[in-house]
Amino acid sequence: MSTAHRFDRGHTDDLMSFLAASPSPYHAVAGTAERLEKAGFRRLAETDAWDATTGGKYVTRGGAIIAWYVPEGATAATPFRIVGAHTDSPNLRVKPLPDTGSHGWRQVAVEIYGGTLLNTWLDRDLGLSGRLTLRDGSHHLVNVDRPLLRVPQLAVHLDRSVNNEGLKLDKQRHMMPVWGLGKPSEGDLIRFAAEEAGVAAEDVTGWDLMTHSVEPPAYLGRDRELLAGPRMDNLLSVHAGTAALLAAVGSEGLPYIPVLAAFDHEENGSQSDTGAEGPLLGNVLERSVFCRGGSYEDKARAFAGTVCLSSDTGHAVHPNYAERHDPDHHPVPNGGPILKVNVNQRYATDGGGRAVFAAACERAGVPWQHFVSNNAMPCGTTIGPITAARHGIATVDIGVACLSMHSARELCGADDPYLLAAALTAFLEG
């Protein structure tokens, strides 16, 4: 029997809808908040006083969202169970003066965000998304989800060496998308974006805009056992964490306070007020303790008993480049979530964390795999070590094995999103 039919595909179908509706971190946060609201969660403003009521709550800040559920009977010293993830993905982001071009072409000036695979953005139909900020400080989402921009590659006739010597791209000269013909006109792009968002262009004083592939997610393969789509690093984990949180709140007698923490700016180091290295998570957890009448001692006790699963995509063994992987650790699609280990603390997992993760997978009936880097290759990192060091919280790095990480379009097993969500649910339920 094909692995494509082992599990109900409802979760993966829903993930595909979430990916398509979340071209930017701001859309991912808005979509997650909408799901929480439908489940009875209540949005809190950081500028308001918080109360000690039980139930689901969440806060948003830019491209970050933190949600938690206080069960009946929770004390000020009740520990947290946290699923950590991030909302941002590598892409091309619009510069402050976006209108540019030459030789009869109108182009958009962009910066390279994160460690993107540049060649995957070539000759791909791109949309425009993000948010516009008005004079009154309000933010308005914009999503032009149709072919608007394109980064055209140089024809092989003008670069005969490309197939033998490889493609060499200059980030400044070669990655500017075209979006029309004629002379560039100052303010043209923002006027267009404002019209798409339904706001007056003269009221727009700030913007955070980026490109995205307009090709929708899709099942792939003869038996549809693979999933191809954009931004799975790391909206796959945001979606799974949200599903796990909503499933956990229906459990009786929760011994922990389940938390979803989805940060922005992981792809460029997490150093921002909405990144994992910022104060947002710590502030939320501390305020949750203190508004329930807790003391510093209660906060210290709660944090000491807290565990975070830092969920992010990892590397499946690549059939064409198997030598780049550790010879004894070959995660495969649909083999279940991976436990990431690096003794130099690029991942935060230790033996105790392994036991927590293994127990969650066993309770969920979910298979799992190990990932460790080839010793000759540098190891990536996640929000895991940052969370552990900043908050003194035991943290375990996990994720889903995929191919083409940081591409405009990535690939994973179609069953793995469900398996990850099931493991995260068991973890949050304790």
Side-chain angles (χ1 to χ4, degrees):
M1 183 176 181
S2 170
T3 58
H5 306 292
R6 287 187 299 165
F7 302 102
D8 174 50
R9 282 293 169 81
H11 179 90
T12 303
D13 290 341
D14 190 61
L15 168 63
M16 294 166 70
S17 297
F18 181 70
L19 292 172
S22 305
S24 78
Y26 314 109
H27 289 83
V29 167
T32 301
E34 182 179 1
R35 291 165 182 253
L36 294 170
E37 291 274 356
K38 288 181 179 179
F41 278 64
R42 178 166 54 97
R43 181 174 183 174
L44 302 182
E46 292 185 78
T47 54
D48 291 344
W50 294 1
D51 57 42
T53 55
T54 58
K57 310 173 185 183
Y58 72 95
V59 298
T60 64
R61 184 192 291 184
I65 184 168
I66 299 181
W68 67 103
Y69 182 85
V70 181
E72 295 287 344
T75 70
T78 297
F80 302 90
R81 279 282 174 107
I82 305 169
V83 172
H86 66 88
T87 62
D88 60 318
S89 302
N91 57 15
L92 310 179
R93 302 210 171 184
V94 175
K95 287 184 175 181
L97 300 177
D99 300 294
T100 188
S102 62
H103 303 289
W105 293 94
R106 293 163 62 203
Q107 295 175 274
V108 175
V110 295
E111 285 188 273
I112 311 301
Y113 179 84
T116 186
L117 283 170
L118 296 177
N119 65 293
T120 67
W121 292 88
L122 301 178
D123 296 333
R124 189 180 294 274
D125 295 339
L126 304 176
L128 184 74
S129 59
R131 66 178 183 178
L132 302 175
T133 304
L134 306 190
R135 295 182 189 280
D136 61 5
S138 62
H139 301 296
H140 295 261
L141 296 181
V142 59
N143 180 13
V144 185
D145 196 31
R146 62 181 185 272
L148 178 70
L149 307 115
R150 186 180 179 94
V151 183
Q153 187 172 347
L154 186 65
V156 67
H157 311 80
L158 303 179
D159 185 7
R160 298 285 185 178
S161 66
V162 65
N163 289 327
N164 296 320
E165 300 178 12
L167 179 65
K168 298 178 182 179
L169 294 171
D170 183 285
K171 293 180 180 179
Q172 179 63 35
R173 293 187 297 120
H174 299 153
M175 297 306 297
M176 298 298 176
V178 301
W179 75 309
L181 299 173
K183 294 181 179 180
S185 176
E186 184 177 354
D188 201 13
L189 182 71
I190 301 307
R191 284 191 293 271
F192 169 81
E195 181 179 353
E196 290 288 324
V199 300
E202 58 269 21
D203 291 336
V204 177
T205 55
W207 54 86
D208 301 279
L209 299 173
M210 59 203 72
T211 63
H212 67 273
S213 170
V214 299
E215 185 180 2
Y219 289 109
L220 186 144
R222 186 194 67 179
D223 296 318
R224 292 161 49 91
E225 69 258 73
L226 298 171
L227 174 65
R231 300 176 295 281
M232 288 196 284
D233 179 12
N234 187 30
L235 294 186
L236 187 157
S237 294
V238 175
H239 177 266
T242 304
L245 176 60
L246 296 181
V249 300
S251 302
E252 295 290 335
L254 283 173
Y256 305 100
I257 296 174
V259 180
L260 169 68
F263 302 99
D264 200 354
H265 300 136
E266 190 274 346
E267 297 295 358
N268 59 12
S270 296
Q271 292 181 324
S272 72
D273 69 324
T274 54
E277 197 162 334
L280 183 57
L281 177 61
N283 287 349
V284 168
L285 299 184
E286 289 176 0
R287 291 183 70 175
S288 177
V289 170
F290 296 152
C291 76
R292 284 180 278 121
S295 63
Y296 179 84
E297 180 72 10
D298 292 316
K299 175 237 173 177
R301 292 170 59 198
F303 277 39
T306 293
V307 181
C308 173
L309 289 190
S310 165
S311 181
D312 204 346
T313 52
H315 302 293
V317 61
H318 198 301
N320 297 338
Y321 301 90
E323 73 281 0
R324 300 295 183 99
H325 300 265
D326 182 87
D328 300 315
H329 298 79
H330 284 174
V332 295
N334 293 331
I338 56 175
L339 179 73
K340 303 178 182 181
V341 177
N342 180 265
V343 295
N344 294 305
Q345 294 301 296
R346 299 291 285 173
Y347 302 131
T349 306
D350 63 8
R354 181 186 189 278
V356 170
F357 178 65
C361 290
E362 288 174 4
R363 285 196 300 273
V366 167
W368 58 281
Q369 311 175 80
H370 288 95
F371 173 82
V372 65
S373 291
N374 185 311
N375 287 338
M377 304 289 294
C379 180
T381 191
T382 69
I383 66 167
I386 294 171
T387 303
R390 179 169 181 82
H391 306 293
I393 290 173
T395 304
V396 189
D397 272 296
I398 66 164
V400 161
C402 72
L403 295 182
S404 306
M405 188 188 296
H406 287 197
S407 168
R409 195 166 178 85
E410 297 159 325
L411 184 71
C412 75
D415 291 329
D416 281 328
Y418 166 80
L419 295 173
L420 174 64
L424 294 179
T425 301
F427 165 73
L428 291 179
E429 291 175 339

